[in-house]
Amino acid sequence: MREKVQAALDKVRPALQRDGGDVELVDVTPDGVVKVRLKGACGGCPMSTMTLKQGIERTIKQSVPEVKEVVQA
């Protein structure tokens, strides 16, 4: 499952990098929780929660339905 999650993150990474940020996969738990770390401009951005839930989480769940939630590590 980790490889599928990484592939999904690679889909959203270019959009984040255009805004000066990035995302790093920290962990995928057995119960379907993905832990990521927002880096660069995304790390301190006030919109980072929306980016995490509406952008990253939505994309990962579409590609990897067994994922339950994406949280910031």
Side-chain angles (χ1 to χ4, degrees):
M1 180 166 46
R2 186 177 179 91
E3 293 80 20
K4 291 181 186 178
V5 169
Q6 187 64 55
L9 284 175
D10 289 341
K11 291 179 186 176
V12 298
R13 182 168 278 120
L16 296 173
Q17 290 174 339
R18 275 194 299 272
D19 290 333
D22 205 350
V23 63
E24 173 188 358
L25 179 60
V26 175
D27 193 22
V28 179
T29 67
D31 58 340
V33 176
V34 174
K35 296 179 182 178
V36 298
R37 181 175 299 118
L38 294 173
K39 301 178 356 178
C42 292
C45 175
M47 300 299 286
S48 64
T49 301
M50 191 166 75
T51 299
L52 182 68
K53 293 297 179 180
Q54 298 300 317
I56 298 171
E57 183 176 80
R58 186 178 63 184
T59 301
I60 290 175
K61 284 181 168 182
Q62 286 173 347
S63 299
V64 191
E66 53 266 37
V67 169
K68 303 288 185 266
E69 184 180 17
V70 178
V71 297
Q72 197 161 335

